[in-house]
Amino acid sequence: MGVVGAVTPRRVLRGVSGLIAGGLVVVFLILAGSWVGSAAAESSGPGAPIVAAHLVAAIAAVVLQRQADRREDGLGAAASVGVLVVAGFAGVLWLS
């Protein structure tokens, strides 16, 4: 146990992964809104596969982040790294 509120590398990792997990949720919501809006306007927009892939990425990131926030051991740190990996794959999707 350390000092309450002390900044440690694990806390920084967990904080960064939390921000990224939240960002993935926001990106999914923006993509879903764009998809619905473009369908209503009968114009091209993000396709359903991209929206679905980002939904899966957002859900995976939130589940992993929840584990990272609840565990203080190595599995919690691994879950934080997992969020970063999921975000990396979502970033690759975004660029394609």
Side-chain angles (χ1 to χ4, degrees), residues 10-87:
R10 185 169 283 172
R11 282 188 110 170
V12 171
L13 176 63
R14 198 172 75 211
V16 169
S17 66
L19 286 170
I20 291 186
L24 282 172
V25 171
V26 170
V27 168
F28 162 71
L29 292 172
I30 291 170
L31 279 172
S34 298
W35 183 54
V36 170
S38 64
E42 297 179 0
S43 64
S44 64
I50 293 295
V51 175
H54 277 83
L55 172 62
V56 170
I59 290 171
V62 168
V63 168
L64 286 167
Q65 185 60 37
R66 185 171 179 196
Q67 287 301 310
D69 287 341
R70 283 167 173 66
R71 299 185 69 115
E72 294 292 329
D73 57 1
L75 289 176
S80 291
V81 171
V83 170
L84 303 178
V85 170
V86 167

